[in-house]
Amino acid sequence: MRLATTLFAILVLFPQPTGAGVSSTMFDSSYLPLLPPIDLTFPTLHTSLATLLPILPLLSPGPSHTLVVTFATPAFKTLLFNWLCFFRHRARWADPPLDASIPRARGIAGDVAKFLVVTSDEGLAEELSQMGIVVWWLKAANMDDLEEGEDESEGERTDEEEARMWVEWRDDIFLNLRLMDLLLPPEAKDPDDKPLRKDYIVWGSLQYQSLMLERSLVMSALVGAIVESQKIEVEDRKEQEADWQRAADAHDWETGPLVKEEFTGVKGVLVVDNDAVWLSSPSSFLAHHYRPSGTHPAIIYAPDSHPDFLNAWSTFSMPCACFLYARTSDHLAQSASSLPVEHADFYRPAASAAHVWRTTALCHVAMVLRELETGRRQATDLWDSTRSIEKLVRAKAPSFQATSLGPALFLAEQEVEALPRVSHEDWMRALSSGSIEDFQELLESAGLDLHSGSTCLDIAQRNWAISPNPHPGSLTPQSTLVPDNDKYRATRVEALPFGMFPPGMSYFGKDQEEGIKPCVVHANYAVGKEKEDLLRDGKLWALVGGGVEEWMCDAEVMRNA
């Protein structure tokens, strides 16, 4: 496994931190530390997948080996920290319990926080990394450099400056999308302007969807890269099973059980919003492989609507982008199958999950591109003539969940593929080659370019008429074979229990079913500053301090939540 091999090298280069553990007096007090003590010999700030990938297993502790990913902006920093209070001390995700008498488990990663933050803001990236949080800073290529280079005569730049500029461009994995003006710049171009991301971006605006698109692209690249690094070919799997059988035959069972080598890697990636609180750990919901829709689903998500709500493509589900798990390893998946190992390609959960994220991102790009063109036409006719996405403050865009994520998940489950399958290598080339024609070719092959007139929602609605999905209530437990038609199902997708993962509108609207204590509560229907107010009013705000004081977590608030 390539990822695990690289991990060993990282452990040699970056030894275990030596920072002191949290004292018992901290746990006896009314306030708990936001983060454990840190030692900055552990690499925490990354600008590329190449340096980030080998470290991800350290952030994905067993037994679920789940990598939690959250996206951050300066405007919502306090929401991130409040989520972190509950994440560490209430849900106790991969962290020691509150009882100081229980020994603290100090692994090779020391006390580094077990999650990944992704941000485009340089200042926030540096601040969080200095706190000991592993951060992927989406360092963007400077579009002004190219424009200046085109205007200047040849020889204006030194060879060193020219080389540095092109290295920066090649390191931006979303370069083509920036050239298409689909992503907000990390900072305002005018130094006298306040950077756009420092403010709350209005929900429902084109700029909001541009920010959401950044997340879709990150997840498509991240999940795909992890899946590729952990991929086991069929022949290799056969050899592994043969080795295990030989070891079992030769083992002296009177001496004890034969223990398999412990899994090292990332079994799944869970992307979460941080305008939420975790009242208990969701790991058991993710690690449980046997589910109504079939064993080892590729995608598991929190619902954003009631199970009786009929969506626009005529099924009874609406996925929430606020809590979505993608399987990234096929470890043990085939042990649940009645199929011989040579037929493993008929259903590979990890490959399916990577395909879903690439399809989702493709649908999202098509939607934002269409709305950008609409916004530009309106700007020319109505309020100004600018064509830059950062200046189109009045342009609107529809919901990502209803137009991209939901339709992409629905289409992934259909037997007849409605959208082209794109390999991870071809996808990354289309994102970063420096030629926007590479991505436009993908849009054209999917029938999602501006001239086609189709959206993923249109395609989902057409496919429902051909192959409708049943109401979730009619599903029965099934093996990896779909019993009713003996066909292999390309992808399995499943919603989490509505009562345990309710949408914010349901929970705060007092529509929560009596007797059910939710696992995760979201403030996802509130906007801007209202999110914090909603959590405070619901007695779900544990963050205290800030400014000259250290950030801390109110133990009583978390205990009573």
Side-chain angles (χ1 to χ4, degrees):
M1 188 180 297
R2 285 166 284 167
L3 195 151
T5 304
T6 315
L7 171 61
F8 175 78
I10 289 293
L11 303 183
V12 175
L13 292 174
F14 300 101
Q16 175 177 327
T18 57
V22 177
S23 67
S24 60
T25 55
M26 283 188 176
F27 288 99
D28 292 338
S29 66
S30 299
Y31 299 99
L32 302 173
L34 178 66
L35 288 165
I38 53 100
D39 188 317
L40 292 181
T41 58
F42 188 88
T44 54
L45 181 60
H46 300 265
T47 58
S48 75
L49 272 172
T51 63
L52 185 64
L53 274 176
I55 292 173
L56 297 182
L58 303 180
L59 308 182
S60 313
S64 69
H65 295 280
T66 299
L67 172 66
V68 174
V69 179
T70 192
F71 289 73
T73 61
F76 289 120
K77 185 175 74 172
T78 54
L79 282 168
L80 169 68
F81 289 170
N82 185 67
W83 168 80
L84 184 53
C85 284
F86 285 86
F87 176 80
R88 286 198 62 223
H89 299 299
R90 176 64 189 254
R92 304 183 192 180
W93 181 272
D95 258 11
L98 297 178
D99 186 351
S101 65
I102 299 177
R104 291 169 58 81
R106 290 182 57 83
I108 49 182
D111 285 330
V112 66
K114 303 298 192 294
F115 66 101
L116 172 67
V117 171
V118 183
T119 183
S120 295
D121 188 275
E122 181 177 4
L124 182 61
E126 292 177 348
E127 178 185 354
L128 296 178
S129 67
Q130 290 170 6
M131 295 172 65
I133 297 172
V134 178
V135 181
W136 182 7
W137 170 33
L138 302 177
K139 186 178 180 181
N142 191 337
M143 296 294 106
D144 290 337
D145 282 347
L146 180 67
E147 294 170 2
E148 292 170 4
E150 291 174 342
D151 295 337
E152 295 173 359
S153 60
E154 186 176 351
E156 288 291 330
R157 288 195 183 94
T158 66
D159 290 344
E160 182 180 353
E161 289 172 337
E162 192 75 15
R164 188 183 303 113
M165 183 194 76
W166 284 108
V167 166
E168 179 183 307
W169 271 61
R170 299 302 301 176
D171 283 347
D172 186 350
I173 62 173
F174 306 136
L175 178 59
N176 289 352
L177 281 300
R178 297 191 201 282
L179 292 174
M180 295 168 69
D181 197 28
L182 295 178
L183 298 177
L184 292 173
E187 296 181 356
K189 293 181 180 179
D190 187 345
D192 296 329
D193 288 346
K194 188 177 181 181
L196 180 62
R197 294 167 190 249
K198 295 288 192 287
D199 292 324
Y200 296 112
I201 297 179
V202 178
W203 183 87
S205 67
L206 177 59
Q207 292 177 346
Y208 180 84
Q209 278 307 319
S210 176
L211 195 60
M212 290 288 290
L213 175 59
E214 191 173 80
R215 177 165 72 169
S216 296
L217 296 172
V218 165
M219 293 305 297
S220 69
L222 180 62
V223 170
I226 295 174
V227 170
E228 288 297 310
S229 69
Q230 299 183 146
K231 184 169 22 178
I232 301 176
E233 300 300 334
V234 173
E235 290 302 319
D236 294 333
R237 188 185 293 276
K238 284 183 181 180
E239 186 61 33
Q240 287 180 357
E241 292 192 358
D243 289 343
W244 174 252
Q245 186 61 53
R246 285 191 290 267
D249 292 340
H251 182 67
D252 182 1
W253 294 96
E254 293 183 358
T255 63
L258 179 61
V259 180
K260 274 191 174 182
E261 184 180 349
E262 185 178 352
F263 177 85
T264 303
V266 181
K267 289 185 178 179
V269 177
L270 174 63
V271 59
V272 300
D273 283 355
N274 48 60
D275 58 342
V277 294
W278 287 22
L279 300 178
S280 59
S281 173
S283 61
S284 60
F285 291 94
L286 308 176
H288 184 59
H289 302 315
Y290 303 94
R291 317 176 78 93
S293 64
T295 57
H296 294 81
I299 299 289
I300 304 170
Y301 62 85
D304 199 42
S305 63
H306 193 275
D308 290 334
F309 173 77
L310 186 67
N311 59 39
W313 51 97
S314 302
T315 65
F316 293 85
S317 65
M318 178 63 72
C320 184
C322 61
F323 194 96
L324 194 147
Y325 174 87
R327 198 173 300 280
T328 55
S329 169
D330 293 336
H331 179 69
L332 297 181
Q334 297 309 319
S335 66
S337 172
S338 59
L339 295 173
V341 70
E342 58 266 23
H343 294 296
D345 281 336
F346 281 111
Y347 176 57
R348 300 180 67 173
S352 295
H355 168 65
V356 165
W357 265 117
R358 287 192 288 270
T359 301
T360 298
L362 185 65
C363 291
H364 204 171
V365 168
M367 183 268 281
V368 174
L369 183 62
R370 191 172 301 276
E371 299 306 321
L372 174 61
E373 289 303 305
T374 300
R376 284 171 171 169
R377 289 195 300 270
Q378 292 173 335
T380 301
D381 296 340
L382 299 178
W383 56 83
D384 64 44
S385 58
T386 183
R387 298 176 64 82
S388 172
I389 194 169
E390 66 177 312
K391 298 296 184 181
L392 293 174
V393 294
R394 303 185 191 181
K396 304 298 181 184
S399 163
F400 154 66
Q401 295 172 175
T403 62
S404 304
L405 178 60
L409 292 183
F410 170 77
L411 292 172
E413 288 191 285
Q414 306 311 306
E415 295 171 12
V416 179
E417 291 188 352
L419 294 173
R421 279 191 172 265
V422 182
S423 69
H424 175 69
E425 182 180 2
D426 289 344
W427 176 252
M428 296 307 296
R429 183 186 302 111
L431 291 180
S432 60
S433 66
S435 172
I436 61 175
E437 286 78 11
D438 289 338
F439 204 94
Q440 289 172 337
E441 286 179 6
L442 279 185
L443 292 171
E444 291 174 5
S445 65
L448 295 172
D449 58 298
L450 292 175
H451 300 294
S452 71
S454 288
T455 66
C456 286
L457 178 57
D458 296 332
I459 297 172
Q461 289 172 332
R462 289 199 297 267
N463 273 262
W464 180 88
I466 300 171
S467 177
N469 272 348
H471 188 285
S474 66
L475 291 176
T476 57
Q478 55 191 348
S479 70
T480 51
L481 291 174
V482 180
D484 56 350
N485 56 11
D486 203 35
K487 294 288 186 181
Y488 297 105
R489 199 168 179 182
T491 300
R492 292 191 187 87
V493 175
E494 184 159 319
L496 290 162
F498 181 82
M500 298 296 293
F501 297 85
M505 182 71 76
S506 175
Y507 179 82
F508 291 104
K510 309 302 180 185
D511 194 28
Q512 182 73 4
E513 188 174 342
E514 188 175 351
I516 296 181
K517 182 76 171 179
C519 177
V520 176
V521 173
H522 294 98
N524 54 352
Y525 82 97
V527 296
K529 183 64 171 60
E530 295 174 4
K531 293 179 180 289
E532 181 175 329
D533 295 338
L534 194 65
L535 293 174
R536 287 185 181 276
D537 292 343
K539 298 181 180 179
L540 297 173
W541 192 266
L543 183 67
V544 294
V548 296
E549 299 180 358
E550 182 182 359
W551 291 107
M552 302 289 284
C553 304
D554 191 321
E556 184 177 1
V557 170
M558 292 185 292
R559 188 179 302 114
N560 296 330

